[in-house]
Amino acid sequence: MITLKEAMSKSKEELAEIRDELFKKAKESGLNAYIGFETHGEGVPILIKDNIQVHGWSITGGSNILQGYIAPYNATVIENMLKNGFAPAGRANMDEFAMGSTTETSFYGPTLNPHDTSRVPGGSSGGSAAAVAGGEAIAALGSDTGGSIRQPAAYCGVVGFKPTYGRVSRFGLAAYASSLDQIGPITQNVEDAAILYDAIKGHDSKDSTSYEFENEPIYGNIDADRKLTIAVIDNYIEVASEDVKKAHDEAIKALEEAGHTIIHKNMSNTKYDIATYYIVATAEAATNLARYDGVRYGRRCENPKNLEDLYFRSRSEGFGEEVKRRILLGNFVLSSGYYDAYYLKAQKVRHLIRDEFKKIFAEADLILSPVAPSVAPKLGELQDPLEMYKSDMYTIAINLAGLPAISLPINKNSDGMPVGLQLIADAFEEKKLFDGASSLERAVAYSK
Amino acid sequence: MHIDEEILKKLEKLSHLRIDESKKEEVIGQLSEILEYVENLKELDTEHLDSFFSTLPGNTPVREDIPSNDPSIPKEILENAPQSEDDFFIVPAIIE
């Protein structure tokens, strides 16, 4: 499989041929990573998660309720990609409305992990990660609300990058939890992630949470020889699986040999992050998903008796169980009598979470952390919702604090399943993050 | 927090969702378990903290209120809506 960097030197004709080959492979593989084979414009083909608007495509957020919806405009990231020589090619499977950690909540059925098809690829950007890992896409876009880029990347042995909140426009991203969502790249290596990130980032007047900054490219300026101070979180590692512990030890050794300084820290119990996340995210989701009412977009129930029946049946038939659960929870934490104790309390805790990171970044350039407690689980293994939520323990604090983080493969366990770790930087320190990630990538020399 | 049938009924109404009778018990169990878990936040002292939180430095930027519109977008939305006519979405009669 050619890399994104290599693909950029190909002619239009060669790229069209490559795209056709990727589509053919995806149709034959049975991974169910693609749920559509639409194209738009010419350029290096990039697989697009099914929640990012591409004009004229049926963008459905992996949901029944959006069947029949056609995107009336391009998301800003798509406009930016087109300007930089990249062309959207195919829709990637995902958990319904990005709510899930396995891609099993998709209306289109689960995506399979290319390393072991009895296992999930992770989620919610599972289609994007499985396609890149399976050689069915050169690179892909995903979205990360609580780990949805980094965790599937780790489960599939590829690179996934979640930018600082505000770096990449959310205009045209189907909103799940607006204060946490960020679009980012899933690629074969760190350099490719920088290339695609450079292409999509930038201030956008259409997104009121878009940050104005000097748009310096990362690609071409990465310094893998830069010596950094990297913090490891001892109490995070204590509760991880043996596979993750082994990868973590290996990464520390490689980083030390590469001349970086390792310091040891502890952070608050991740149970507080999980609690905060599942209050804030469900509250925002309940509000954002109120727009799907069967009137304006997508699918409407058949023969509604009256308007109320139209709303209730379109939504009850259109949403899957996990989405319904989160809407119910969100409306609970926002409802009169519970709002202060749940929603406002969680908003306050976000200050504590961010302050804790700030304290570590006063001493360290980057943090090295697990992405998930174990390798990719088997299909159907995570049935209990709360158990699934707990598996997000290492990724959600980053979203709650708005920080950038990159997940990259370190090694494989004895079953041949990839183990990834993430590097985390302070807000807007993407350059430093890519310097460190490049160094770690070179030092561990992961082989597919 | 234990969710009972009464609260679930209220949440269904707020959410415009109906939970199948056969699923209600399971949903009540799951919601109660999740809420009991998230109540661990009570262990944290947040007395002095602001309930406003933003990850962005500074305030939300303001801009001049200049109207802009791409007329093709509403047209395409209406064309692809479940039911529409002229510039309107069609819904069942509201006033009998």
Side-chain angles (χ1 to χ4, degrees):
Chain A
M1 163 63 76
I2 63 165
T3 64
L4 192 59
K5 185 181 165 186
E6 289 161 355
M8 287 176 72
S9 61
K10 302 282 181 195
S11 70
K12 276 181 184 172
E13 294 71 30
E14 286 171 310
L15 290 170
E17 210 170 291
I18 290 169
R19 184 187 69 199
D20 292 345
E21 279 167 25
L22 293 170
F23 279 10
K24 186 166 173 276
K25 195 172 175 194
K27 283 172 188 165
E28 287 167 356
S29 78
L31 290 181
N32 198 30
Y34 281 69
I35 52 169
F37 293 90
E38 299 86 344
T39 60
H40 183 98
E42 286 178 325
V44 178
I46 306 291
L47 177 64
I48 307 298
K49 189 175 180 179
D50 190 36
N51 60 355
I52 300 170
Q53 309 298 304
V54 183
H55 193 185
W57 290 17
S58 180
I59 298 295
T60 67
S63 182
N64 186 18
I65 207 164
L66 276 173
Q67 296 303 310
Y69 168 75
I70 307 291
Y73 56 82
N74 279 333
T76 298
V77 291
I78 300 297
E79 288 292 329
N80 290 350
M81 264 178 40
L82 289 165
K83 275 180 217 150
N84 287 292
F86 302 96
R91 280 184 299 137
N93 200 13
M94 58 182 278
D95 280 298
E96 186 180 6
F97 286 109
M99 298 180 193
S101 312
T102 62
T103 317
E104 290 168 293
T105 73
S106 169
F107 171 68
Y108 304 95
T111 294
L112 310 181
N113 192 310
H115 294 275
D116 174 354
T117 53
S118 71
R119 292 177 189 270
V120 301
S124 66
S125 313
S128 301
V132 173
E136 298 177 8
I138 300 169
L141 287 187
S143 67
D144 192 315
T145 306
S148 282
I149 287 174
R150 291 161 285 150
Q151 183 255 37
Y155 283 174
C156 292
V158 292
V159 171
F161 169 53
K162 180 227 166 264
T164 305
Y165 185 79
R167 279 287 201 203
V168 175
S169 169
R170 294 183 297 110
F171 180 77
L173 171 68
Y176 157 22
S178 309
S179 79
L180 307 167
D181 298 337
Q182 269 293 281
I183 297 170
I186 294 181
T187 56
Q188 301 166 56
N189 58 57
V190 172
E191 192 175 55
D192 281 359
I195 292 171
L196 193 50
Y197 167 62
D198 281 343
I200 62 171
K201 71 183 181 184
H203 177 255
D204 179 16
S205 57
K206 290 176 182 153
D207 173 0
S208 66
T209 60
S210 168
Y211 188 62
E212 285 203 68
F213 56 91
E214 290 287 319
N215 207 340
E216 299 283 334
I218 301 271
Y219 173 65
N221 293 309
I222 298 173
D223 179 8
D225 295 323
R226 183 175 175 183
K227 303 299 172 228
L228 300 164
T229 300
I230 299 171
V232 295
I233 312 301
D234 291 337
N235 62 324
Y236 275 19
I237 274 301
E238 276 166 22
V239 291
S241 67
E242 286 309 312
D243 289 334
V244 173
K245 281 180 184 160
K246 196 164 160 272
H248 194 257
D249 288 345
E250 205 175 291
I252 290 175
K253 196 162 160 269
L255 287 168
E256 280 177 331
E257 280 170 11
H260 301 291
T261 307
I262 301 292
I263 61 171
H264 292 264
K265 293 284 169 189
N266 282 302
M267 290 186 80
S268 295
N269 192 308
T270 55
K271 71 181 183 182
Y272 302 124
D273 303 328
I274 297 163
T276 305
Y277 179 84
Y278 280 95
I279 292 171
V280 171
T282 60
E284 294 184 16
T287 310
N288 279 324
L289 272 60
R291 73 189 63 172
Y292 302 108
D293 57 5
V295 174
R296 292 159 294 166
Y297 329 97
R299 186 185 169 282
R300 175 184 289 192
C301 68
E302 280 180 26
N303 306 318
K305 277 188 292 199
N306 50 41
L307 189 60
E308 198 190 15
D309 188 48
L310 185 159
Y311 290 150
F312 271 92
R313 276 181 39 224
S314 296
R315 288 169 64 80
S316 303
E317 293 167 14
F319 290 132
E321 286 186 14
E322 183 56 35
V323 172
K324 284 182 192 162
R325 192 153 41 238
R326 294 195 197 191
I327 293 173
L328 293 169
L329 271 171
N331 278 319
F332 176 82
V333 300
L334 290 174
S335 63
S336 164
Y338 302 108
Y339 181 75
D340 288 20
Y342 291 84
Y343 181 69
L344 290 187
K345 178 83 181 181
Q347 284 290 77
K348 290 177 179 179
V349 175
R350 288 183 77 174
H351 291 276
L352 297 177
I353 294 168
R354 180 170 56 187
D355 291 350
E356 204 170 27
F357 278 114
K358 284 268 171 225
K359 241 167 112 182
I360 293 178
F361 288 125
E363 288 178 63
D365 296 300
L366 301 174
I367 295 170
L368 177 73
S369 150
V371 176
S374 65
V375 295
K378 296 269 186 185
L379 286 155
E381 196 180 318
L382 276 179
Q383 291 283 0
D384 179 59
L386 184 58
E387 286 311 308
M388 182 174 78
Y389 299 174
K390 286 180 185 170
S391 75
D392 296 341
M393 60 190 287
Y394 297 121
T395 45
I396 48 191
I398 285 102
N399 300 76
L400 289 164
L403 305 176
I406 189 164
S407 159
L408 64 157
I410 302 297
N411 65 10
K412 283 182 179 163
N413 75 357
S414 52
D415 297 327
M417 291 307 294
V419 184
L421 296 176
Q422 62 181 337
L423 286 167
I424 308 158
D426 202 356
F428 304 105
E429 295 281 4
E430 273 86 358
K431 170 69 171 64
K432 206 188 263 181
L433 185 64
F434 274 94
D435 290 344
S438 251
S439 172
L440 180 57
E441 181 182 52
R442 188 173 66 185
V444 296
Y446 172 82
S447 65
K448 289 170 201 161
Chain B
M1 180 73 206
H2 181 72
I3 299 289
D4 56 26
E5 277 194 39
E6 200 59 32
I7 298 177
L8 181 62
K9 213 169 139 191
K10 188 181 147 200
L11 293 178
E12 287 179 77
K13 195 174 164 213
L14 286 172
S15 308
H16 278 91
L17 287 173
R18 283 194 199 102
I19 303 299
D20 281 349
E21 281 303 325
S22 62
K23 292 253 166 78
K24 277 194 172 155
E25 203 179 321
E26 188 192 16
V27 170
I28 284 175
Q30 289 167 339
L31 295 182
S32 301
E33 193 191 12
I34 294 163
L35 287 171
E36 271 158 33
Y37 181 85
V38 303
E39 279 157 19
N40 68 41
L41 295 187
K42 284 183 186 156
E43 296 162 345
L44 300 173
D45 176 14
T46 55
E47 199 56 47
H48 57 293
L49 294 168
D50 191 349
S51 59
F52 174 79
F53 180 86
S54 169
T55 60
L56 292 167
N59 296 316
T60 307
V62 287
R63 60 170 165 78
E64 290 301 318
D65 186 14
I66 304 163
S68 71
N69 182 31
D70 176 350
S72 72
I73 292 177
K75 195 170 159 277
E76 283 188 43
I77 292 173
L78 281 159
E79 273 171 12
N80 295 309
Q83 222 184 326
S84 65
E85 203 178 301
D86 301 328
D87 288 344
F88 301 98
F89 297 108
I90 306 294
V91 295
I94 296 168
I95 302 163
E96 302 277 320

